[in-house]
Amino acid sequence: MRSQEAAELSGKLRGPVIDGDSIDYDDVRKLYNGMIDKKPRMIARCSDVADVIEAVNFGREHKLLIAIRGGGHNGPGLASVNDGLVIDLTSMKGVRVDPASRTVRVGPGCTQGDVDHAAHPFGLAVPAGIVSTTGIAGLTLGGGTGYLTRQYGLTIDNLLEADVVLADGRFVTASATENLDLFWALRGGGGNFGVVTSFLFQARPVDMVYGGPIFWDQKDAGAVMRRYRDMLPGAPEKLGAFLGLKTMPSADPFPREHWGKRICALISCYNGPQAEGEMAMKPFLEGLPPPLVNWMGMMPFPALQSLFDPLLPSGMQWYWRGDFVNELSDAAIDAHLAQAEQTPSTLSLMHLYPIDGAVHRVGRGDTAWNARGATWSMVIAGIDPNPQQAGPITRWTKAYWEAVHPHNQNGGKGGGYVNFMMDDEGEGRIRATYGDNYDRLVTIKAKYDPDNVFRVNQNIRPLH
């Protein structure tokens, strides 16, 4: 028999309310990160903005801890909460493309793949991440980096407005002309300030791209990393290329003779024709040892975005740590290679995502996102399908991060991308991440959420 609270909330919503007595409770409460198991008291599966307003008001009035779930791709499991209320937006998935204005309006439950699918027939894309299953809401509110970042900036640099339900249940729009302080904070400040129920993005011309992976044996990784470091700053901004230390997947279509080998990967996207793309890649490849695999070719942009989805289904064990990186010194490369030799599972990895080019043309104080001077965003991720591997992949990730962190932004004193943070890193890391923007964020938090209703996140506590 369902609780009185669940029955009361259910009477206020169009969407269903799931609790522990619901037959689908265990399926609905599952998180992307299989390492985390939370048991919310209730899950409000909102169907529209009115449902969101009712759910926020109900949670606040009943003093329930509230978590917000968009696409559900959050690494530290902040899309759920034990014995609290999950406001689940996964049913709010509409995408509307306006080809005349080149804008795309996106619901908060959409994945990046939903947006790519809707925009591609118009020769457009919203600059976002590299995996199509990523939720667009969380990715955007944290900043948003991916294949198009060097050419078109972060996802937040292409955000025009957001509709938001505030902690007191009010509905507002944040843009360059309305609630400008809230609009500033949403662009990088995470889910601290309200529940975003609609995003309006400026889309960019993207159609067929020259892209794909190139893999080298890890014995050649030092040379590849140094070449990548030296060539990236002068590369055309149409070229987005990230570097990874990984393991060759033991599955088709990867060559069987290389299954299980530790590798260095360069995964690239040139937004233009093949001849131009080949010219852009030439300085990266000339004089290097022959790769094990070179699968670069022309493909639709959504195909590149979803290329690695089958390797990373929901429910894997995950533990990750991130950093912003200014320079990749020879000493840093040596530290990376030493740690990559200890990879505890075939899916565990290190990636360096470029955040130069267009990102650097936005001022550090123009949005809450504060790493405008960095060159890369680094993530180290321990990943494995086996729950018994949770300990080893966590220990490896922490040891790897501790080894390379002193080489990273400001001698290891800088922060990391909030979308690559776990929930055990402490307030000091959050402060370092936002730097000079932190105090302003605290002030805005106090204005829009003075009681810290939205605190199941990388939390910015309000001043009292």
Side-chain angles (χ1 to χ4, degrees):
M1 182 175 177
R2 76 181 333 182
S3 68
Q4 183 177 343
E5 275 185 328
E8 181 185 347
L9 179 56
S10 183
K12 296 174 182 288
L13 305 186
R14 286 287 182 92
V17 175
I18 311 296
D19 68 0
D21 292 323
S22 303
I23 192 169
D24 53 351
Y25 175 74
D26 284 332
D27 284 335
V28 173
R29 72 180 180 87
K30 282 180 182 176
L31 295 170
Y32 179 78
N33 187 349
M35 194 184 291
I36 301 168
D37 182 29
K38 293 185 178 181
K39 295 183 177 180
R41 192 182 306 180
M42 290 177 289
I43 303 168
R45 308 203 82 180
C46 298
S47 62
D48 54 25
V49 175
D51 278 3
V52 176
I53 292 171
E54 292 287 359
V56 169
N57 287 337
F58 184 91
R60 186 190 67 250
E61 291 163 4
H62 287 73
K63 296 182 169 48
L64 294 171
L65 199 57
I66 296 173
I68 312 301
R69 180 172 186 165
H73 204 268
N74 183 267
L78 298 174
S80 189
V81 60
N82 283 315
D83 196 33
L85 172 64
V86 174
I87 298 178
D88 187 330
L89 311 175
T90 53
S91 298
M92 299 172 63
K93 290 178 72 75
V95 181
R96 184 182 185 277
V97 180
D98 183 342
S101 63
R102 290 182 173 175
T103 58
V104 182
R105 185 168 292 280
V106 179
C110 288
T111 64
Q112 183 174 296
D114 295 327
V115 180
D116 291 337
H117 175 77
H120 183 68
F122 300 96
L124 298 172
V126 174
I130 64 158
V131 179
S132 77
T133 56
T134 304
I136 201 71
L139 177 135
T140 299
L141 295 173
T145 68
Y147 289 115
L148 304 176
T149 298
R150 299 187 71 237
Q151 184 178 12
Y152 293 131
L154 305 171
T155 308
I156 54 171
D157 299 335
N158 297 275
L159 181 65
L160 300 175
E161 69 176 38
D163 292 338
V164 188
V165 176
L166 300 176
D168 61 6
R170 285 183 295 140
F171 175 83
V172 300
T173 297
S175 69
T177 57
E178 296 180 79
N179 299 300
L180 184 56
D181 56 347
L182 178 60
F183 186 54
W184 180 89
L186 291 174
R187 288 176 289 164
N192 276 283
F193 306 96
V195 184
V196 178
T197 59
S198 176
F199 298 85
L200 182 67
F201 295 105
Q202 185 69 64
R204 304 295 180 177
V206 185
D207 191 0
M208 298 292 289
V209 298
Y210 178 66
I214 306 175
F215 297 154
W216 286 266
D217 191 291
Q218 192 157 307
K219 67 181 174 59
D220 300 318
V224 175
M225 292 180 77
R226 287 188 290 272
R227 178 66 60 83
Y228 177 69
R229 170 196 68 191
D230 296 341
M231 293 297 104
L232 182 72
E237 290 181 1
K238 285 185 176 184
L239 178 67
F242 72 88
L243 183 137
L245 297 177
K246 305 157 75 76
T247 301
M248 183 79 78
S250 298
D252 293 330
F254 300 96
R256 285 179 176 266
E257 65 269 25
H258 301 311
W259 282 9
K261 285 185 179 178
R262 290 191 171 96
I263 57 172
C264 181
L266 193 60
I267 302 171
S268 305
C269 170
Y270 185 85
N271 184 21
Q274 181 163 339
E276 288 183 10
E278 290 173 345
M279 286 294 294
M281 290 298 298
K282 191 175 180 181
F284 289 84
L285 304 178
E286 277 187 332
L288 286 178
L292 303 177
V293 166
N294 184 342
W295 283 342
M296 289 195 72
M298 294 300 294
M299 66 185 77
F301 182 65
L304 180 64
Q305 291 279 63
S306 59
L307 210 56
F308 300 103
D309 290 0
L311 297 176
L312 299 171
S314 181
M316 293 280 191
Q317 307 289 303
W318 283 80
Y319 189 88
W320 55 26
R321 284 282 175 95
D323 255 350
F324 291 123
V325 179
N326 286 354
E327 297 178 358
L328 193 60
S329 67
D330 286 347
I333 290 172
D334 290 343
H336 276 285
L337 296 179
Q339 296 302 315
E341 285 290 340
Q342 309 302 317
T343 312
S345 66
T346 57
L347 291 171
S348 296
L349 54 83
M350 186 284 298
H351 283 173
L352 285 170
Y353 300 107
I355 49 174
D356 59 340
V359 180
H360 289 184
R361 292 194 287 276
V362 178
R364 183 172 294 185
D366 290 351
T367 66
W369 206 84
N370 191 52
R372 299 288 177 175
T375 308
W376 293 279
S377 174
M378 178 198 75
V379 66
I380 303 158
I383 313 166
D384 197 274
N386 185 356
Q388 294 182 346
Q389 280 287 89
I393 64 174
T394 299
R395 290 190 291 272
W396 173 79
T397 302
K398 289 181 176 180
Y400 193 145
W401 185 86
E402 288 167 2
V404 299
H405 180 59
H407 299 283
N408 292 338
Q409 192 184 36
N410 302 323
K413 296 178 182 178
Y417 185 29
V418 291
N419 288 350
F420 291 152
M421 283 187 181
M422 298 301 283
D423 61 352
D424 60 355
E425 297 189 43
E427 185 178 348
R429 280 283 284 166
I430 297 172
R431 286 177 174 269
T433 291
Y434 291 113
D436 297 341
N437 290 335
Y438 184 79
D439 289 343
R440 185 176 174 186
L441 284 165
V442 169
T443 301
I444 296 170
K445 175 74 169 179
K447 176 180 176 181
Y448 289 99
D449 185 13
D451 297 322
N452 207 9
V453 170
F454 302 119
R455 59 185 182 274
V456 184
N457 47 41
Q458 301 298 348
N459 194 231
I460 297 163
R461 292 186 293 172
L463 286 170
H464 289 290

